[in-house]
Amino acid sequence: MPGELLDLAAAHGVLTGYTDHYGVAQQVRATTLVAVLEALGVPASTPQAVEGSLERSRDDVWRTVLPPTVVARHGVEQQVSVHVPEGAPFDAWVELEPADGALSPTATPWRVTAAGTLHGERERRALARADVPAETRTVDSRTLERAVVTLPEDLPLGWHTLHARCDSLEARATLVVTPQRLELPPEVAGRQAWGFLVQLYSVRSRDSWGLGDLADLADLAWLTAHNGGADFVAVNPLHASEPVVPLTPSPYLPVSRRFLSPLYIRVEDIRETAYLSAADRSLVEWAAEPVRELSTDPGPIDRDAVWEAKRAALEVVFTAPRSASRQTALDEFVLEQGRGLVDFATWCAIAEHLNGRNWPPELADPTSPAVGVLRRSLAERVQFFIWLQWVADEQLKAAQRIGREAGMRIGLVKDLAVGVHPEGADAWAQAAVLARGVSVGAPPDMYNQQGQNWSQPPWNPGALARAGYAPYRDMLRTVLRHTGALRVDHVLGLFRLWWIPGGARASAGAYVTYDHEALIGILCLEAHRAGAIIIGEDLGTFDPWVREYLASRGILGTSVLLFERSDDGTPRDPSSFRHLALATVTTHDLPPTAGYLAGEHVDLRERLGLLTADPQVLRAKARAERESLVDALSRRGLTTFDPSERELVEGLHRYLKDTPAALVGVHLTDAVGERRAQNQPGTDTEYPNWKVPLADSAGAVVMLEELFDNARLRSLVAVMNEAPHPEDLPGPGG
């Protein structure tokens, strides 16, 4: 492989090799490196292109007076390079964010109402030039000097602007000051908290419209807190889905991560529904009738039928008049969410208007005249989709309030997907900061031996930095609303992501690195402002230092009992688990515990043709894994040497309670005896992924109202509420 290509890849953060799940060093193919570099906007298709790109990369940092974004830690003095003509004097200063943090210096307000808001004055702090040796370089026939300024360590947390002025030239950069680390809330720090992990769409009530919704979530939070003593309910991503059918079943492939899916709205809980005329009320009831019956159907969940019914009903409610206070609340929500909300609603209205037809090229840019014309002609539909977001936000807020008032120490735990649908709203509105021609996935591992392709376009690291990380920040701010904690799926993607060139196998990718100090720091800042715990799903192939770094920033990891093994293959002793972690027995990408321990994950993958190893060898390995778990549990007195299925599931959760993990999660499927997997990675239509309704061990649907009539659930809840032994209490350290 040409050395220049390897150097160019290294200059742009593309790893030319990696160590796989089995500890074997792998080399990335040259064709993959070329495709990934091209997706980054770096010409590399010919030797001449590689040579030219490599030459440019050596001088790129010198071509700008300031870096596009500087991310610093509060309490730490940091130096920033400034590039100016040799010997030229310059001034540098920091313009601080308003004290109320209401408007970032990098944000452009999107005024939807006539009323404006005044914000506090911004403080300006002059920066002194650091006494360090100057470095010079000739770039584009100009001799430039690299000087250094020092940022004071007492800069407040927030989004500020760094300025530098030299003669008539003035440059600015986004300056983000982030917390050193997140601390657990006092109510959680001293005592292990536990809660349920649920796929909300699968948990239905008699009032559901065929799919679990935000009203069901509020009831679930109240029931599990009031009757079960749970401290949180963790749900699947509630991100936005398509505005027209067919809907993508996977909650991990949304059209937008920033906004909510109106599929989860409970129509009857909208205040205006109560004041509809008799005729309009009948329209809502007629829409509900055919899908309400689906709530007791044991077959795959039909999102398309649910959305078509709800959309018809919501259109009726949308036309109802709102009180002055309700209209003001809507206006304030629109102002707060800004241009991003308007763009999202515009995309929804256009997608609905086109109804499956290809988007004309003139509509590819949200700022194009053609989009402006269509936005005006579809103004009422744009307002409808804006209103849907407000309604969903209000109902989510109510669910969090109800859970906390019922006694939960955390409340809702939301889930942030890795990326978005390649043809969705975020991909449309944020095209400038996304890489094209590649998709995100994962290399082969023990459970997905062919690798995974998630079909999502990744952030372009350089473009994101040049945008001041504003798209990332704005997404986090919305996702962190009305939640006590946020689970970040595949948090390792904030360090590096597996990029797969279009048309290539999932195994034929390469890792692209990201500025994790910036991405993690911004995540910590926004979580700090929201008062939320951050949980990183840190499973998979990664370097050992990554977990140490996350712990140093106060971000919880994920410990899955089935994966926690000592060097000799036996289950790790509970005392060796991490304190800063959410500990669970299994994950949603495997069958529930009862099914997994029966080897059903091997049977399922064999039926679907996903295995590359001998099925009998894998079955023998699964049996040995079960035997080692039974042995570990029985030796601790948590089960007998021949436990029943129920005893084994309860013993595994007692095992988790004996760990120092700050949080312990119980999959609701384990509590009711469900055996079917919600998702089988590596499949699309071969398996009903994300469509499996909650059922018991006999396959009978379990309704929300019947949860605490389930003997297995009541028994497992009693286990989770058993008083811990004093030596098992989590310590204060990380």
Side-chain angles (χ1 to χ4, degrees):
M1 187 180 299
E4 291 83 359
L5 180 60
L6 297 178
D7 291 343
L8 183 62
H12 291 277
V14 182
L15 302 186
T16 59
Y18 68 99
T19 301
D20 68 14
H21 181 77
Y22 305 98
V24 178
Q26 300 287 348
Q27 185 72 27
V28 176
R29 292 180 297 184
T31 53
T32 298
L33 294 179
V34 169
V36 169
L37 285 166
E38 292 279 348
L40 283 166
V42 181
S45 59
T46 66
Q48 295 77 14
V50 170
E51 183 180 357
S53 294
L54 188 57
E55 184 63 30
R56 283 190 296 274
S57 69
R58 295 188 179 111
D59 292 333
D60 272 350
V61 70
W62 286 80
R63 290 189 170 95
T64 58
V65 176
L66 292 169
T69 303
V70 176
V71 179
R73 295 202 201 186
H74 179 69
V76 177
E77 192 176 86
Q78 182 165 324
Q79 295 185 330
V80 179
S81 296
V82 183
H83 300 100
V84 294
E86 184 180 19
F90 68 90
D91 297 318
W93 68 95
V94 172
E95 185 178 13
L96 297 182
E97 182 181 37
D100 58 9
L103 183 63
S104 163
T106 59
T108 301
W110 179 256
R111 294 283 188 258
V112 182
T113 62
T117 304
L118 295 176
H119 304 290
E121 292 295 324
R122 297 179 192 150
E123 181 183 348
R124 294 163 62 97
R125 296 194 188 180
L127 302 179
R129 183 168 178 166
D131 186 17
V132 297
E135 180 185 352
T136 61
R137 179 178 295 190
T138 300
V139 179
D140 301 332
S141 302
R142 296 187 304 157
T143 301
L144 300 176
E145 177 182 320
R146 172 180 288 160
V148 173
V149 295
T150 301
L151 302 176
E153 62 184 33
D154 63 343
L155 287 175
L157 298 176
W159 293 80
H160 314 304
T161 305
L162 174 62
H163 295 262
R165 182 170 53 212
C166 178
D167 295 329
S168 61
L169 176 66
E170 182 174 323
R172 62 168 55 195
T174 301
L175 170 60
V176 194
V177 180
T178 69
Q180 286 272 25
R181 62 176 282 129
L182 291 173
E183 301 295 342
L184 290 174
E187 60 269 26
V188 176
R191 178 165 59 93
Q192 190 179 71
W194 79 273
F196 282 111
L197 281 60
V198 305
Q199 300 294 315
L200 178 58
Y201 53 85
S202 72
V203 186
R204 304 173 296 185
S205 67
R206 293 186 179 88
D207 293 326
S208 300
W209 291 37
L211 175 141
D213 57 33
L214 292 169
D216 293 324
L217 178 58
D219 288 343
L220 179 63
W222 187 91
L223 282 170
T224 55
H226 188 75
N227 295 330
D231 293 305
F232 62 85
V233 172
V235 296
N236 56 276
L238 304 179
H239 305 317
S241 52
E242 295 89 344
V244 293
V245 299
L247 305 187
T248 301
S250 173
Y252 291 93
L253 188 60
V255 299
S256 172
R257 291 192 292 175
R258 180 174 174 182
F259 297 106
L260 294 166
S261 173
L263 189 66
Y264 292 108
I265 291 173
R266 174 68 65 83
V267 180
E268 294 89 340
D269 279 13
I270 305 171
R271 179 176 171 182
E272 286 72 32
T273 304
Y275 301 99
L276 293 174
S277 67
D280 284 344
R281 172 66 102 164
S282 295
L283 292 175
V284 171
E285 291 298 325
W286 291 339
E289 280 180 11
V291 292
R292 207 186 298 278
E293 297 173 355
L294 297 178
S295 292
T296 57
D297 190 332
I301 290 171
D302 189 345
R303 285 175 172 79
D304 291 352
V306 172
W307 175 232
E308 297 218 308
K310 282 195 176 181
R311 185 176 60 183
L314 288 165
E315 287 169 345
V316 174
V317 181
F318 171 65
T319 62
R322 290 178 284 279
S323 67
S325 63
R326 292 274 288 169
Q327 184 61 49
T328 299
L330 172 57
D331 291 342
E332 290 175 347
F333 175 77
V334 174
L335 185 62
E336 180 182 28
Q337 293 300 312
R339 178 61 183 263
L341 175 60
V342 177
D343 280 346
F344 169 74
T346 299
W347 179 88
C348 290
I350 295 175
E352 181 185 62
H353 173 71
L354 294 175
N355 196 25
R357 301 193 302 274
N358 291 332
W359 284 54
E362 61 268 22
L363 298 181
D365 182 356
T367 64
S368 71
V371 169
V373 169
L374 205 48
R375 178 186 284 130
R376 288 188 291 274
S377 68
L378 298 173
E380 185 172 352
R381 297 307 291 172
V382 172
Q383 290 301 317
F384 173 66
F385 287 109
I386 287 175
W387 174 79
L388 289 179
Q389 287 304 307
W390 173 64
V391 169
D393 183 80
E394 291 275 297
Q395 294 193 0
L396 182 66
K397 180 180 179 180
Q400 171 67 354
R401 174 181 54 79
I402 288 168
R404 291 302 301 266
E405 290 177 352
M408 286 186 163
R409 288 185 281 158
I410 297 173
L412 304 183
V413 179
K414 294 167 71 176
D415 201 342
L416 176 64
V418 176
V420 295
H421 196 291
E423 305 300 329
D426 283 2
W428 178 71
Q430 299 172 2
V433 294
L434 295 175
R436 291 297 187 174
V438 290
S439 60
V440 173
D445 60 26
M446 175 180 175
Y447 293 95
N448 302 283
Q449 296 169 345
Q450 299 176 9
Q452 299 177 61
N453 187 333
W454 303 327
S455 74
Q456 300 160 332
W459 295 118
N460 181 318
L464 193 59
R466 289 189 291 274
Y469 291 94
Y472 177 63
R473 172 204 61 201
D474 294 343
M475 180 267 293
L476 288 175
R477 286 184 177 176
T478 304
V479 170
L480 285 163
R481 290 169 66 89
H482 317 315
T483 187
L486 177 68
R487 174 188 178 272
V488 180
D489 191 43
H490 195 60
V491 73
L492 307 176
L494 301 183
F495 297 79
R496 65 181 190 182
L497 272 175
W498 184 253
W499 286 26
I500 305 166
R505 300 190 309 274
S507 59
Y511 279 112
V512 175
T513 59
Y514 288 79
D515 186 346
H516 63 272
E517 182 72 13
L519 293 173
I520 297 293
I522 292 168
L523 176 62
C524 289
L525 172 61
E526 296 304 325
H528 170 79
R529 289 182 157 183
I533 299 168
I534 297 296
I535 304 161
E537 189 266 294
D538 55 355
L539 306 175
T541 305
F542 60 93
D543 294 324
W545 66 268
V546 168
R547 281 185 169 176
E548 297 173 6
Y549 177 87
L550 291 170
S552 74
R553 303 304 298 267
I555 294 176
L556 277 64
T558 301
S559 295
V560 177
L561 178 54
L562 295 178
F563 301 158
E564 295 285 345
R565 297 275 163 173
S566 302
D567 292 340
D568 62 0
T570 59
R572 287 179 53 199
D573 187 89
S575 64
S576 67
F577 277 55
R578 295 174 286 173
H579 169 54
L580 286 182
L582 165 65
T584 63
V585 174
T586 185
T587 82
H588 60 240
D589 287 331
L590 294 174
T593 302
Y596 180 86
L597 294 178
E600 293 182 7
H601 57 299
V602 179
D603 297 341
L604 177 59
R605 286 183 291 151
E606 182 183 20
R607 289 199 304 271
L608 297 175
L610 299 177
L611 297 181
T612 58
D614 185 344
Q616 296 309 316
V617 172
L618 294 177
R619 287 191 180 92
K621 187 173 183 178
R623 286 193 296 271
E625 184 178 1
R626 184 186 190 280
E627 290 169 1
S628 69
L629 286 168
V630 171
D631 182 67
L633 294 176
S634 59
R635 288 181 183 278
R636 294 183 64 86
L638 301 178
T639 66
T640 64
F641 279 94
D642 186 23
S644 66
E645 176 184 291
R646 173 170 159 180
E647 289 172 333
L648 182 53
V649 170
E650 291 181 1
L652 290 169
H653 285 89
R654 282 195 175 97
Y655 200 87
L656 289 183
K657 281 177 59 65
D658 285 348
T659 72
L663 307 180
V664 172
V666 178
H667 285 271
L668 191 58
T669 49
D670 281 349
V672 298
E674 172 70 87
R675 298 174 69 93
R676 298 171 296 176
Q678 273 293 336
N679 176 52
Q680 175 53 58
T683 64
D684 182 16
T685 58
E686 303 93 331
Y687 184 80
N689 293 321
W690 315 112
K691 297 179 183 178
V692 180
L694 186 68
D696 61 19
S697 57
V701 171
V702 176
M703 304 293 288
L704 178 60
E705 295 88 349
E706 301 164 356
L707 274 181
F708 281 86
D709 294 332
N710 186 289
R712 288 184 63 148
L713 182 140
R714 292 199 312 270
S715 182
L716 186 51
V717 163
V719 167
M720 299 310 298
N721 288 319
E722 291 173 354
H725 299 101
E727 64 270 20
D728 295 329
L729 291 172

